[in-house]
Amino acid sequence: MNPPKLDETASTLDDRAGLLFFLIIAQSNAVVMGSVNLFAQERSLLMRERAKGMYQVGAYMLAKTMSDMVNTVLMPLVGFGTTVYWLVGLRASFEAFATYLVIFATMLTVAHSLGLTLSIVINNVAIAMALAPVISVMLMILGGFYIPFSHIPDSVYWLSYLSFARYAFTAFCINEYRGKSYPCGDDPDGRECPTEGDVYLAEERDIPDSDSLW
C-alpha cells in the first residue's frame, strides 16, 4: 500500500507550509545543539595545539566544518530531507527538488555555524547548552510561520532579519508555491479556486512577488 501524499489542491496549502517549517525545526535544532556540544569537547585540545603553533584557527575551523558536514548536512539531507520530499508529495520537478536540496543544505550549514558560534562565545558548556534552545526557539518564532511578518511588533521585527529560519522558510515557500496553480480540493478553506501560489504567498505568508528565491 502506497503512503498517502498531499493533494496538489488548495486544501493542502497550509499543510505544505507547516511541513516545510517542521523540516526547519526538526533538523536545525538538532544541528545547533550537536554543534555546541561537539566544539565544547574540543576546546581544550584546540587551545593546546594552537599554543604549540601547529595550525591557524582558520585552518581548524575550515577542516572542522568540512568534516562535520557528513553528520550535520549530508546524512540529514539524504536520509531525511530527500525521503520526506518525495514521500509527502512536494513539488514534483527536478528543478524544484534540486533547489530544495540547496536550501536545505544551506540551512543546515548556517545552523551548524550558529552552534559553533555559541560554543566559542560562551566558555561554560552548561550555559551554552541552556541558551542554545532558547535562541533557536526565538529564531523560529520570528521565522514567519507562527507569526506573519506583518504582525510582528516593530520593536522586535528587526530581529527577524537575524533568523535563518526566516530565510529558509521564505525560500522553501517560494520554491514550492511560486508560479503554480492549485485547484479546489475537498476543503479549500474558503479560498477562491483555483488558488494561485503567488497569491497565497503574498496574502497569507507575507511573501510578496518582489521577494526572490536567492
Side-chain angles (χ1 to χ4, degrees):
M1 180 178 179
N2 294 327
K5 294 184 177 181
L6 292 173
D7 296 330
E8 294 191 0
T9 63
S11 61
T12 65
L13 290 173
D14 291 333
D15 296 332
R16 292 173 182 274
L19 170 66
L20 292 170
F21 199 76
F22 174 79
L23 291 174
I24 300 173
I25 295 174
Q27 295 302 302
S28 62
N29 283 345
V31 170
V32 170
M33 296 301 295
S35 300
V36 169
N37 194 39
L38 282 176
F39 181 75
Q41 298 172 6
E42 299 177 7
R43 180 187 294 274
S44 59
L45 177 63
L46 171 63
M47 298 298 291
R48 183 168 62 252
E49 293 181 346
R50 277 286 296 121
K52 296 178 180 179
M54 297 179 65
Y55 47 74
Q56 297 295 321
V57 174
Y60 166 81
M61 292 303 299
L62 178 61
K64 178 168 181 59
T65 300
M66 296 301 294
S67 63
D68 286 350
M69 286 298 167
V70 175
N71 290 328
T72 60
V73 176
L74 185 59
M75 291 181 64
L77 189 67
V78 176
F80 184 80
T82 301
T83 302
V84 169
Y85 190 93
W86 297 111
L87 189 65
V88 302
L90 294 176
R91 194 166 190 167
S93 75
F94 176 77
E95 180 181 359
F97 177 60
T99 302
Y100 163 87
L101 292 180
V102 173
I103 298 169
F104 202 101
T106 304
M107 174 198 71
L108 293 176
T109 302
V110 174
H112 179 252
S113 299
L114 174 61
L116 291 179
T117 301
L118 291 175
S119 186
I120 292 170
V121 173
I122 305 172
N123 291 328
N124 189 296
V125 179
I127 295 177
M129 293 293 287
L131 287 178
V134 175
I135 295 174
S136 293
V137 169
M138 180 194 71
L139 296 178
M140 295 302 163
I141 292 175
L142 297 173
F145 177 74
Y146 295 115
I147 306 175
F149 297 126
S150 60
H151 294 171
I152 298 177
D154 294 339
S155 58
V156 296
Y157 181 80
W158 62 274
L159 287 172
S160 69
Y161 290 107
L162 302 178
S163 171
F164 66 88
R166 171 181 181 145
Y167 301 103
F169 183 59
T170 299
F172 273 145
C173 286
I174 291 175
N175 184 55
E176 180 67 21
Y177 298 110
R178 182 156 290 175
K180 191 170 182 179
S181 180
Y182 296 86
C184 290
D186 297 333
D187 181 16
D189 296 327
R191 299 185 180 96
E192 294 183 2
C193 298
T195 301
E196 299 299 325
D198 297 77
V199 174
Y200 174 76
L201 289 175
E203 294 183 354
E204 300 191 38
R205 292 297 160 196
D206 284 347
I207 302 176
D209 293 341
S210 58
D211 282 7
S212 64
L213 183 61
W214 307 112

